[in-house]
Amino acid sequence: MKHASRRDFLKKCVTGVAVLPAAGKAWAEQPRAWRGGAEGMPLLAAAEQAAPTAKSRVVVARDAMLRGSGTTVDSGRVLSLLDRAMQSLFDVDHPGEPWKRLVRPGVTVGLKVNTLGGRGLSTNVQLVEAICERLQEAGIKAHDIIIWDRDTDEMDHVGFHTSTADNRVQCFGSDRTGFEEDYATYGKVGSRLSKILTQRCSVLINVPILKDHDGAGVTVALKNMYGVIHNPNKLHPDGGDPYIADLNMLPAIKTKMRLTICDATTACYEGGPGFKPQYSWQNNALILSQDPVALDYIGWQIIERKRAEKKLKTLEAAGRLPRYIATAADAQHRLGTNDPRRIELVEVSA
Amino acid sequence: MSRESHALAKVTAPAPGATEGQSPVLEHEHRLLSPLLDRRSFLRCALVSGTALGIGELVRPLAAIPSPADPQKQDDSRFTVEAKFYQKLENKKVKCKLCPRECVVGDRERGYCGVRENHGGTYYSLVHSRVCAAHVDPIEKKPLFHYLPGTLAFSLATAGCNVNCKFCQNWDISQVRPEQVPAEYAPPKLVADLAKQHGCPTIAYTYSEPVVFSEYIMDAADAGHEAGIRSVVVSNGYMQEEALKTAYGKMDAIKIDLKAFSESYYKDVVVGELKPVLDTLVTLRKMGKWTEIVYLVVPTLNDSEAEFRGLARWVKANLGNDVPLHFTQFHPEYLLKNLPITPVPTLERAKAIADAEGLHYVYIGNVPGHPAENTYCPKCHRLLVERVGMMAKQMLIRKNSCPFCGQQIPGLWHA
């Protein structure tokens, strides 16, 4: 074995190519986790070797009548859809059961929403209310639930009104609390994390939306974490690869992340991430998984199908292949699987 | 005082004993001017030799910013102007034409620099007149050694940078968005007035990266020139040619941080590219702008003999042998804390190589008291400008020439 000189070692430390052991801790406690392959093996070989006994389950739950006869999502129907999706994800019969497996009384649950797209393309308030309702039924006190995103004004604009009262669900942006002074680093990422994440939340539930992204290709679960750092602008080169995967490796994110509930009720297949009505469609679906990579892979496929239906180029042909999804699944990251053979897709209809 | 409120109420002031590319913008607050100095602070103040003086007009409002938990409630509209260098694209996207990165920015998103935002297909700078650091420095601290030595520069910065150097000493203002750091409204005329009030013949745009606040420096330079104040810029030079000619065309002198002489270093450590920076240097030469180059020597990363030699040869071939080249000492900071301070012999080796290649003015920086801080006549080798700790102590050049042998010494030596 060739020994690295001190000079080489220092270079590697600087350029961030040193391989850190990946820990699948984010969902290690959960029954259907894909826990990654062996270290130090070529990507494919590692995947074959470590073929998990259980696949990563991704649930796509649809309700064609989600909006009733109106244009906004119906609160009752979205709660019902959420229940069905959660029951499918956790293989249980009772709507409250999955939440009791997911959280315990006394923890503080952060619901990371996405409000960048304004009123047309942000996480639905009705969905978040439904999540809050089930969390409280599972014993989480209202003030131990924090709905948050990067900016309070953006949240307010889409209906997440600021709330800091003791007996209420908390709701505010990172601009209210600021960011940690110290940089959290992994690979090519060096960022200051929101104090909401580091100091307030013990459990994180990601509530992103499903949309096209002009740089990264798509933005679903993994990229929604750009909203928890002070410098997302620095992580956009090269389609966010490997930045998105590296960011999700930060312990404060990885160890707290329990579940992604993607609001795909309205989705966007072109022109994202901003809201473009002409490129958005009412998909009336929720996508749930504990494996954010598998969820991103499925979300990407949904967008590709819509693009094909609209006679648009594939994202690869458009020069926007979301390569970061494969990177998130590679031997250095092991944040989940992007291998369709190892994804159990469950489709549920209301 | 909590850490958070302290951070938001801070006044940033550059630390002494370091050149701009390496100068930590430290959080001195009011204690800097108070008698309650600890030994460390006293030494800093002593070293800076009185340069930590009056920015009173900026200090008070910065420190008085209320609502420490809510820094975003600055009046953003005052700082927002339409960007000058961009192109409109379909779907309300824009392409920034300021730097070679050419960010394509969607509606409501920002470019890589974090200080330019797309609103409905129009691109805006968010940092015009939004000063987050201001200070009175000796011009030698930029460092500009051949430009009005012994004078002061009214030095300022806004938030933001178009690269992300892992060794950045000013990361607390360069790698943040404007709403994440306290700032004060300082329109161009105020800057010119303050410079004049503080006896500064020059305004310096520095600390973070002036490329990203180009609109502001252009307006401030105009205001300064009307008041008889010159403008200099301390920049990474990572800029498109048209923007360079337009914005830096208004500057009177320029210092370029040439971070390395290899593309791989620029890619991995700077998150930029070398070629456009070299192009910038050539363009500035053609424009006739007084330019000095700083090369921060980072142990193991850009300190090879081949790199020093390649750099020196390139400078001589493309810019001439009269361009001052400063090899400066690295100090561990930001994301690069695992490397040691650059050994002085490494800097001396770099200088020896550049000297041997025929460059006339090669300096060593960030090593106070080193004889290579001084300017010597390239012909008779007599001492012409003696510097100690960033201060010009003795200046013998007369009529742009060596008083001993008559050799012309390039630069601007007298106002």
Side-chain angles (χ1 to χ4, degrees):
Chain A
M1 180 183 168
K2 185 183 172 186
H3 289 281
S5 66
R6 179 171 175 274
R7 187 185 185 89
D8 290 338
F9 172 76
L10 291 171
K11 273 186 182 170
K12 284 188 175 181
C13 290
V14 170
T15 53
V17 297
V19 180
L20 298 180
K25 204 171 177 182
W27 57 91
E29 297 166 11
Q30 305 304 324
R32 292 191 172 274
W34 181 88
R35 294 190 179 87
E39 286 180 44
M41 301 177 72
L43 177 57
L44 188 58
E48 296 288 346
Q49 179 85 9
T53 52
K55 293 180 175 180
S56 285
R57 179 173 285 192
V58 179
V59 174
V60 178
R62 296 179 192 279
D63 178 1
M65 296 302 294
L66 192 62
R67 296 162 206 268
S69 57
T71 54
T72 56
V73 169
D74 180 83
S75 294
R77 292 196 78 98
V78 81
L79 176 61
S80 173
L81 190 65
L82 175 68
D83 284 343
R84 295 210 48 191
M86 286 293 283
Q87 287 169 241
S88 293
L89 185 66
F90 285 85
D91 257 344
V92 294
D93 295 327
H94 190 274
E97 191 59 29
W99 301 96
K100 288 177 182 167
R101 292 191 188 183
L102 201 64
V103 293
R104 290 190 303 274
V107 301
T108 300
V109 181
L111 303 177
K112 170 62 181 70
V113 297
N114 188 308
T115 56
L116 176 68
R119 288 193 180 117
L121 198 58
S122 292
T123 306
N124 263 287
V125 172
Q126 293 90 334
L127 170 62
V128 174
E129 284 173 347
I131 297 169
C132 290
E133 187 176 329
R134 289 295 181 247
L135 284 171
Q136 289 178 77
E137 286 171 6
I140 306 298
K141 291 178 180 166
H143 67 256
D144 286 337
I145 300 171
I146 305 174
I147 303 163
W148 64 290
D149 198 2
R150 62 178 197 171
D151 185 83
T152 304
D153 287 345
E154 285 180 356
M155 293 178 70
D156 191 66
H157 183 65
V158 303
F160 292 109
H161 302 303
T162 302
S163 167
T164 55
D166 278 348
N167 58 345
R168 303 279 301 275
V169 169
Q170 308 290 290
C171 184
F172 47 83
S174 295
D175 56 312
R176 288 297 179 100
T177 59
F179 297 85
E180 292 292 343
E181 289 295 312
D182 293 333
Y183 275 68
T185 60
Y186 182 89
K188 285 198 167 186
V189 166
S191 297
R192 292 163 59 196
L193 292 164
S194 166
K195 289 179 181 171
I196 298 175
L197 173 66
T198 56
Q199 297 183 16
R200 302 287 293 271
C201 300
S202 44
V203 167
L204 193 56
I205 296 177
N206 192 7
V207 198
I209 49 179
L210 175 65
K211 53 183 179 175
D212 171 86
H213 191 279
D214 56 9
V218 297
T219 169
V220 202
L222 294 166
K223 192 174 177 300
N224 196 36
M225 290 302 103
Y226 274 30
V228 314
I229 55 174
H230 85 295
N231 61 347
N233 46 295
K234 297 296 186 194
L235 309 189
H236 276 94
D238 302 322
D241 185 36
Y243 302 98
I244 297 171
D246 286 350
L247 176 63
N248 280 271
M249 291 297 286
L250 296 178
I253 295 173
K254 187 172 174 178
T255 61
K256 293 180 181 181
M257 185 67 74
R258 296 287 171 84
L259 172 68
T260 300
I261 302 174
C262 173
D263 180 349
T265 55
T266 300
C268 158
Y269 58 89
E270 171 74 358
F275 177 51
K276 307 287 186 311
Q278 69 272 33
Y279 297 129
S280 299
W281 85 102
Q282 293 188 349
N283 189 44
N284 296 324
L286 303 178
I287 311 173
L288 277 65
S289 184
Q290 291 187 283
D291 178 341
V293 184
L295 191 148
D296 273 14
Y297 178 82
I298 295 297
W300 168 29
Q301 301 312 309
I302 291 171
I303 287 177
E304 290 283 20
R305 279 199 294 275
K306 195 68 182 179
R307 290 176 66 84
E309 181 188 317
K310 297 291 182 181
K311 313 288 186 210
L312 289 172
K313 290 178 183 173
T314 64
L315 288 171
E316 183 172 19
R320 296 189 285 125
L321 183 72
R323 294 186 311 273
Y324 70 85
I325 297 175
T327 302
D330 72 14
Q332 283 190 37
H333 296 84
R334 294 187 210 170
L335 288 161
T337 181
N338 68 332
D339 182 347
R341 295 170 301 174
R342 297 195 172 95
I343 298 173
E344 180 190 8
L345 177 62
V346 178
E347 302 203 59
V348 177
S349 295
Chain B
M1 181 182 279
S2 72
R3 281 185 64 173
E4 184 181 26
S5 60
H6 170 77
L8 292 169
K10 77 185 177 189
V11 173
T12 53
T19 48
E20 297 288 307
Q22 261 284 291
S23 62
V25 172
L26 298 174
E27 297 169 11
H28 284 289
E29 244 191 331
H30 284 283
R31 285 191 298 276
L32 186 68
L33 303 175
S34 80
L36 299 173
L37 295 175
D38 58 19
R39 182 171 175 275
R40 186 183 179 88
S41 300
F42 170 78
L43 289 173
R44 281 180 179 155
C45 288
L47 273 172
V48 83
S49 306
T51 59
L53 296 174
I55 49 165
E57 293 78 358
L58 292 175
V59 168
R60 275 195 305 276
L62 271 174
I65 286 174
S67 183
D70 196 3
Q72 197 159 29
K73 299 308 173 196
Q74 299 169 27
D75 182 3
D76 288 349
S77 63
R78 286 195 301 179
F79 308 119
T80 303
V81 299
E82 185 174 356
K84 286 194 188 302
F85 309 102
Y86 77 102
Q87 178 187 344
K88 296 194 176 196
L89 304 177
E90 60 180 3
N91 290 331
K92 294 182 181 177
K93 291 180 186 173
V94 300
K95 180 188 278 188
C96 185
K97 303 293 281 184
L98 183 57
C99 91
R101 202 175 289 282
E102 292 203 329
C103 293
V104 174
V105 183
D107 188 16
R108 299 175 61 84
E109 293 231 308
R110 294 189 191 180
Y112 185 84
C113 60
V115 304
R116 289 164 183 272
E117 188 166 296
N118 178 351
H119 281 270
T122 301
Y123 207 34
Y124 292 95
S125 163
L126 309 177
V127 289
H128 194 286
S129 306
R130 195 172 194 161
V131 173
C132 66
H135 206 73
V136 175
D137 289 336
I139 194 82
E140 285 80 4
K141 194 171 162 68
K142 305 300 111 187
L144 283 168
F145 276 13
H146 289 226
Y147 193 83
L148 299 177
T151 65
L152 297 172
F154 188 81
S155 308
L156 57 85
T158 76
C161 183
N162 60 341
V163 295
N164 188 7
C165 300
K166 290 181 169 49
F167 49 78
C168 185
Q169 300 280 318
N170 294 333
W171 53 269
D172 57 344
I173 58 170
S174 68
Q175 301 303 326
V176 298
R177 294 177 164 218
E179 66 272 20
Q180 292 167 347
V181 63
E184 181 57 33
Y185 181 58
K189 186 171 182 316
L190 175 63
V191 171
D193 290 346
L194 288 172
K196 205 158 197 174
Q197 284 170 25
H198 290 92
C200 302
T202 310
I203 302 164
Y205 313 99
T206 179
Y207 304 138
S208 54
E209 179 44 61
V211 167
V212 307
F213 52 98
S214 285
E215 293 83 0
Y216 181 38
I217 72 172
M218 290 165 68
D219 292 344
D222 286 343
H225 288 146
E226 281 179 24
I229 308 290
R230 293 179 167 93
S231 276
V232 302
V233 66
V234 174
S235 173
N236 61 28
Y238 191 51
M239 201 170 187
Q240 293 213 12
E241 186 175 353
E242 186 192 339
L244 173 75
K245 287 179 173 172
T246 308
Y248 288 8
K250 292 178 181 286
M251 299 295 116
D252 297 283
I254 293 143
K255 191 218 81 178
I256 297 293
D257 285 309
L258 185 58
K259 318 276 185 181
F261 200 62
S262 77
E263 286 288 1
S264 62
Y265 181 98
Y266 263 87
K267 181 172 182 284
D268 295 335
V269 182
V270 177
V271 195
E273 302 161 273
L274 170 63
K275 172 79 168 49
V277 180
L278 298 180
D279 292 344
T280 286
L281 286 165
V282 172
T283 303
L284 291 171
R285 172 79 173 169
K286 288 177 183 166
M287 290 165 68
K289 294 293 177 187
W290 180 254
T291 304
E292 301 191 21
I293 300 171
V294 163
Y295 185 103
L296 180 74
V297 181
V298 182
T300 75
L301 296 182
N302 66 354
D303 62 348
S304 71
E305 186 169 323
E307 208 165 349
F308 293 147
R309 196 172 303 285
L311 165 70
R313 287 180 179 173
W314 184 90
V315 169
K316 186 179 176 185
N318 293 277
L319 310 175
N321 54 9
D322 280 343
V323 176
L325 174 60
H326 306 250
F327 289 107
T328 56
Q329 188 177 50
F330 158 86
H331 291 257
E333 187 61 70
Y334 187 40
L335 303 176
L336 209 49
K337 294 179 178 172
N338 59 322
L339 295 179
I341 292 172
T342 319
V344 173
T346 302
L347 299 168
E348 290 170 338
R349 180 168 52 91
K351 175 175 164 50
I353 290 169
D355 284 340
E357 291 297 330
L359 299 189
H360 287 164
Y361 305 99
V362 183
Y363 298 99
I364 287 177
N366 287 352
V367 185
H370 196 286
E373 282 189 314
N374 301 328
T375 301
Y376 300 90
C377 175
K379 188 177 173 189
C380 70
H381 307 294
R382 301 278 289 270
L383 177 68
L384 298 179
V385 184
E386 183 183 7
R387 300 180 182 87
V388 178
M390 296 296 154
M391 299 296 288
K393 192 176 172 187
Q394 186 180 186
M395 215 286 279
L396 302 175
I397 295 169
R398 295 289 176 267
K399 295 181 181 175
N400 297 331
S401 301
C402 171
F404 307 107
C405 70
Q407 170 78 15
Q408 282 267 313
I409 310 296
L412 182 66
W413 301 102
H414 306 282

